[in-house]
Amino acid sequence: MTHGWRDDDMTQESPKKADRTVVAPGYEPVAEAFFATIADGRASGASLAIWKDGLPVVQLAAGTADRPAGTAFALDTLIPIASVTKGLASLVIARLIERGDLPSYDTPVGEVWPQFAAYGKGDVSIGDLLAHRAGLSAPREALTEEVFLDSLATADVLAAQEPLWKAGASHQYHAFTHGALTSKLVSLAGSRSLGTVFAEEIAGPLGAEAWVGLPAEFDGRVAPLVADPRPAPASAPDEADPWPQRAMDLGAGIDVVGLVFSERGRRAELPGVNGIASAPAIAKIWSAAVTPTDGTRLISAETADALRAPRSIGRPQFAGPPPYQAWGAGVMIPSHWEWYLTEYSFGHDGANGQVSFADPHHKIGFAYLTNQIGDWERGQSVVAALSRVLG
């Protein structure tokens, strides 16, 4: 079967460009798995990038980026990456800890953020705060759109709040509040915002087209999201346990997803949910987290070990049906939800069907990004094919 991809020269002398199609010898089964994920290339599309040992071994795009405009999906198509952004924010925190701008993951948050100590939260460690253990997955006080779009203002509200459970005793995914907490930690390390640190210290040195807070000049390259073709599961509000619903609408009935992907939402820095990037950019960033990539290594092996060390595993505080995710200090780690490649893998998925991670054992950076909202099985099927190729 011909898909229009080619095997580019993969010698060390090859230019490490992020805008060229690549399928290195031996990776053809991965390419086939990728194309199989695009059921209808007329409505939506996807892109895949895999870097190994600091070089691209697979870079592919297929399908449609914008059906009304007739735009084909390309490697430089920009895609809203949803919670993949949490992994990028966690890399920012890891860099700041490594060089001493923030103290260790085991430091109580109250030591660097005194206001956070309200209602006994101060003893929660920085690592456990990042691992969704702080009891702040939803706001007790309804947030306005203006407060939500200001991550530091949201962080102030959360710092003053009584936790939803004993802080540190359990975990629950902080879908929209996680970004505010990481924003505050970065602000405590200096005068720059998280989006600025990310641009200057992670995306910039790698030439990676990824942003937390997208400049308006790039709006025209963002692929519109396509609705999930599956019927939405029926659910009823739980009056006895309202926190999962409040986590999603901020207690104010806000269409947070719509707000995040609006023009106002793209401009804001929401480090838990509103990153926008190309697949080669995300794969290259994860590659640089575990091996030198274009002369850049983002964090040391020791810091990567601390970042991915298990902190939250198993049944969450407000348990839905399994499988359950697992986290290190803000990054997802292998679990029944997502096995990735090896026990050493770490990264983050995104609600639109995105899968991204680093693997220090195989020196891999991986990103499968799509504009069709839906399941993660598409990206996971490509990971499975990669695992078989690597052996």
Side-chain angles (χ1 to χ4, degrees):
M1 183 182 298
T2 299
H3 294 288
W5 45 263
R6 66 183 185 273
D7 297 345
D8 283 348
D9 177 20
M10 289 302 300
T11 64
Q12 289 290 333
E13 289 76 26
S14 298
K16 305 183 201 62
K17 294 179 68 178
D19 60 355
R20 64 190 178 109
T21 295
V22 176
V23 180
Y27 286 85
E28 294 86 356
V30 178
E32 296 291 343
F34 166 71
F35 289 113
T37 69
I38 304 170
D40 181 358
R42 296 171 297 174
S44 62
S47 53
L48 170 69
I50 304 171
W51 286 56
K52 178 169 172 55
D53 299 319
L55 289 169
V57 293
V58 178
Q59 293 196 146
L60 295 166
T64 300
D66 187 339
R67 186 173 188 175
T71 307
F73 227 95
L75 285 169
D76 65 354
T77 296
L78 300 178
I79 308 164
I81 57 175
S83 288
V84 169
T85 319
K86 292 180 175 71
L88 304 182
S90 299
L91 280 177
V92 171
I93 300 292
R95 278 182 63 85
L96 296 176
I97 288 175
E98 181 171 303
R99 68 166 176 248
D101 291 344
L102 284 171
S104 74
Y105 286 120
D106 293 328
T107 303
V109 175
E111 291 187 10
V112 295
W113 185 5
Q115 294 83 353
F116 187 83
Y119 294 100
K121 301 190 302 295
D123 290 338
V124 172
S125 69
I126 290 174
D128 282 356
L129 176 74
L130 297 170
H132 306 273
R133 304 188 67 84
L136 300 172
S137 58
R140 289 184 179 274
E141 170 189 324
L143 301 184
T144 65
E145 291 185 2
E146 288 68 27
V147 169
F148 173 69
L149 292 174
D150 182 341
S151 288
L152 294 182
T154 301
D156 289 341
V157 172
L158 297 173
Q161 175 177 306
E162 180 182 358
L164 307 183
W165 64 87
K166 180 177 171 53
S170 183
H171 73 276
Q172 177 71 34
Y173 188 47
H174 289 44
F176 292 118
T177 56
H178 194 271
L181 299 171
T182 55
S183 286
K184 183 65 177 185
L185 288 176
V186 172
S187 76
L188 292 168
S191 59
R192 295 177 298 166
S193 69
L194 192 150
T196 299
V197 177
F198 175 76
E200 293 178 352
E201 299 195 19
I202 293 183
L206 291 167
E209 291 198 309
W211 294 268
V212 181
L214 184 72
E217 64 199 85
F218 296 103
D219 275 353
R221 288 174 50 195
V222 179
L225 295 174
V226 177
D228 190 339
R230 302 169 301 170
S235 62
D238 185 346
E239 295 181 1
D241 190 8
W243 304 118
Q245 178 60 37
R246 290 179 69 90
M248 301 309 295
D249 68 10
L250 308 179
I254 294 173
D255 175 12
V256 182
V257 174
L259 178 61
V260 165
F261 297 132
S262 69
E263 184 175 355
R264 281 199 302 158
R266 289 196 300 271
R267 298 293 168 267
E269 291 186 12
L270 306 173
V273 292
N274 84 329
I276 293 178
S278 69
I282 298 300
K284 194 174 185 183
I285 288 169
W286 285 123
S287 172
V290 293
T291 193
T293 302
D294 276 4
T296 296
R297 176 74 188 259
L298 294 174
I299 56 175
S300 68
E302 293 75 18
T303 298
D305 286 344
L307 174 62
R308 65 177 179 81
R311 290 179 176 271
S312 295
I313 297 174
R315 185 181 178 88
Q317 179 72 20
F318 308 119
Y324 301 127
Q325 298 160 316
W327 285 276
V331 292
M332 288 177 63
I333 56 177
S335 67
H336 288 287
W337 173 275
E338 168 63 87
W339 289 115
Y340 296 123
L341 278 180
T342 71
E343 63 183 298
Y344 308 106
S345 300
F346 60 93
H348 217 289
D349 294 350
N352 301 331
Q354 329 295 14
V355 176
S356 77
F357 65 92
D359 186 82
H361 177 71
H362 291 293
K363 302 294 189 291
I364 288 283
F366 179 100
Y368 173 90
L369 305 185
T370 175
N371 65 333
Q372 181 172 295
I373 299 171
D375 60 74
W376 291 269
E377 284 83 357
R378 292 166 291 169
Q380 291 168 356
S381 69
V382 181
V383 177
L386 175 62
S387 180
R388 291 191 293 270
V389 165
L390 295 174

